[in-house]
């Protein structure tokens, strides 16, 4: 219900229209003061709910916004914007046992996007859970990848991101690739080591 009321205008607006049309139809069949008040109340409630949805930003929407901002930073090769989204708590275990915190992630981002240009990035298929100041988001990224010697016209990958809330904002604490037939990685270390090997 929360998602319907505050996060998805494409679902809420049709529901409100159906309810409004039904109450107007009901009023036209029985023109009484009671049905008139019901119809007016439904119309007013629809306007209020639509207005609230445009004003209220839920934690889920903020988390999705962070994920989209990461993709935008990648598309622009903007290391500073990317770094601003990462928590100081960021920590991902690496196969060799070496530490891989925020500084290492940002440096890997810098090296990766010095080699690759990202174009037409799109983020979709979100699955988000939020509880007690922590969040987990899974999403699919599609883009075109271009380097000096290679162009991948349609690169599709899926990622799982862990986030923590601090001072009302959300920051990334972990990133894990999700293995798919076209993206055969199980850990961030696999991705980083693969890129370094090329």
């Amino acid at each position: 219900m929360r998602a319907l009321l505050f996060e998805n205008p494409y679902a809420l607006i049709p529901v409100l229209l159906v309810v409004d049309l039904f109450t107007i139809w009901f009023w036209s069949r029985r023109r009484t003061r009671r049905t008139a008040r019901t119809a007016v109340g439904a119309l007013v409630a629809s306007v209020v709910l639509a207005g609230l949805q445009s004003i209220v930003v839920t934690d889920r929407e903020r988390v999705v916004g962070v994920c989209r901002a990461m993709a935008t930073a990648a598309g622009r090769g903007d290391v500073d914007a990317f770094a601003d989204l990462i928590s100081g708590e960021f920590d991902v275990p690496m196969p060799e046992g070496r530490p891989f915190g925020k500084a290492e992630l940002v440096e890997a981002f810098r090296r990766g996007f010095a080699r690759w240009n990202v174009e037409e990035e799109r983020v979709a298929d979100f699955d988000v859970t939020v509880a007690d100041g922590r969040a987990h988001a899974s999403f699919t990224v599609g883009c075109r990848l271009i380097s000096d010697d290679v162009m991948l016209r349609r690169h599709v990958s899926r990622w799982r991101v862990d986030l923590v809330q601090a001072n009302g904002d959300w920051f990334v604490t972990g990133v894990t690739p999700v293995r798919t037939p076209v993206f055969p990685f199980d850990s961030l270390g696999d991705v980083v080591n693969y890129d370094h090997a090329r």
Side-chain angles (χ1 to χ4, degrees), residues 4-196:
L4 175 64
L5 289 177
F6 299 119
E7 297 172 358
N8 192 347
Y10 300 109
L12 178 64
I13 299 302
V15 169
L16 294 178
L17 285 174
V18 168
V19 170
D20 290 342
L21 289 173
F22 175 78
T23 55
I24 290 170
W25 172 83
F26 188 69
W27 168 76
S28 70
R29 303 278 295 178
R30 299 182 181 186
R31 292 178 180 252
T32 65
R33 284 188 177 180
R34 185 174 180 180
T35 57
R37 284 197 298 269
T38 301
V40 170
L43 291 171
V44 170
S46 294
V47 171
V48 170
L49 287 173
L52 277 176
Q53 188 173 70
S54 67
I55 294 170
V56 174
V57 180
T58 66
D59 283 332
R60 183 187 182 283
E61 289 175 304
R62 288 187 177 95
V63 166
V64 168
V66 170
C67 298
R68 292 190 187 283
M70 289 176 69
T72 299
R76 295 176 179 167
D78 190 336
V79 178
D80 292 334
F82 180 80
D84 288 343
L85 302 170
I86 309 303
S87 168
E89 296 179 22
F90 185 92
D91 185 34
V92 171
M94 296 299 261
E96 309 84 5
R98 62 188 169 90
F100 197 84
K102 177 176 179 175
E104 289 79 14
L105 177 68
V106 172
E107 182 56 31
F109 180 94
R110 186 189 314 277
R111 284 195 305 265
F113 291 96
R115 180 173 187 271
W116 293 99
N117 288 325
V118 178
E119 295 181 353
E120 298 180 9
E121 67 279 0
R122 288 188 172 82
V123 187
D125 300 327
F126 282 94
D127 181 14
V128 178
T129 58
V130 180
D132 301 325
R134 297 271 173 181
H136 308 281
S138 296
F139 54 91
T140 300
V141 179
C143 64
R144 179 165 52 216
L145 289 176
I146 302 171
S147 71
D148 291 340
D149 52 350
V150 177
M151 181 171 74
L152 302 175
R153 292 186 180 278
R154 192 66 186 155
H155 183 269
V156 178
S157 57
R158 186 151 181 89
W159 298 87
R160 186 169 43 252
V161 176
D162 303 315
L163 304 98
V164 65
Q165 190 175 35
N167 300 320
D169 293 321
W170 288 91
F171 299 94
V172 176
T173 59
V175 176
T176 307
V178 177
R179 176 180 281 270
T180 68
V182 295
F183 191 64
F185 300 106
D186 296 308
S187 72
L188 189 59
D190 292 342
V191 176
V192 171
N193 291 337
Y194 177 81
D195 192 54
H196 287 174

